[in-house]
Amino acid sequence: AEFNDGFNKALTLEYSTDDNDTIYKALLQLYKKHVKDQPIRRIYINFSGLDKTPYDQISLFEDEEEHIKKRKLRKTLDAIQTKYGMNSVLRSSSLLEGSTAKERHNQIGGHRK
């Protein structure tokens, strides 16, 4: 199989977010649009324009109660992982054969701690 030589693409989100699902969907959108079905070796992701304000921008089309519920869940998961480690709470897909999530959590910049 021939490997993709790579590409640089940018995507600006409609509104500020720290929602993993929103960010994941944006990355998946870029992947599907530009990579299609080509095999790849590496993915490098860069974020810019990050904002640490305590305020939350919500879309007019998003259910406010659902948004608040998801935000509380993310904060709870972050607190658990801060206290007990990154492998304390994982998505079920991280337990599948071939997943590298648990291994990557024990690395710094791709190297063992």
Side-chain angles (χ1 to χ4, degrees), residues 86-105:
M86 291 299 293
N87 285 331
S88 60
V89 179
L90 297 169
R91 291 180 183 258
S92 58
S93 61
S94 298
L95 302 174
L96 294 174
E97 185 179 334
S99 173
T100 60
K102 288 172 72 172
E103 181 182 326
R104 284 183 287 117
H105 288 159

Side-chain angles (χ1 to χ4, degrees), residues 8 16 24 27 38 50 56 58:
N8 283 326
S16 297
Y24 175 77
L27 293 172
Q38 300 174 38
L50 300 176
D56 202 13
I58 186 169

Side-chain angles (χ1 to χ4, degrees), residues 8-24:
N8 283 326
K9 298 294 175 192
L11 178 72
T12 301
L13 299 178
E14 293 179 40
Y15 53 90
S16 297
T17 186
D18 63 351
D19 178 35
N20 294 343
D21 292 335
T22 301
I23 295 168
Y24 175 77

Side-chain angles (χ1 to χ4, degrees), residues 17-109:
T17 186
D18 63 351
D19 178 35
N20 294 343
D21 292 335
T22 301
I23 295 168
Y24 175 77
K25 286 175 187 172
L27 293 172
L28 196 57
Q29 177 186 350
L30 279 175
Y31 177 83
K32 286 181 176 181
K33 183 176 180 180
H34 299 286
V35 176
K36 299 182 177 54
D37 292 328
Q38 300 174 38
I40 56 172
R41 235 178 255 251
R42 288 189 186 100
I43 296 177
Y44 296 96
I45 300 170
N46 181 41
F47 294 96
S48 63
L50 300 176
D51 187 2
K52 291 192 94 174
T53 62
Y55 307 106
D56 202 13
Q57 179 74 35
I58 186 169
S59 166
L60 292 173
F61 306 106
E62 190 174 2
D63 180 352
E64 184 178 6
E65 288 181 25
E66 184 68 25
H67 179 83
I68 291 169
K69 207 160 99 174
K70 284 173 68 176
R71 185 163 186 82
K72 285 181 181 178
L73 176 62
R74 286 195 310 273
K75 285 186 174 202
T76 301
L77 290 173
D78 286 347
I80 291 169
Q81 289 178 327
T82 298
K83 185 171 183 174
Y84 298 105
M86 291 299 293
N87 285 331
S88 60
V89 179
L90 297 169
R91 291 180 183 258
S92 58
S93 61
S94 298
L95 302 174
L96 294 174
E97 185 179 334
S99 173
T100 60
K102 288 172 72 172
E103 181 182 326
R104 284 183 287 117
H105 288 159
N106 292 321
Q107 297 178 346
I108 298 174

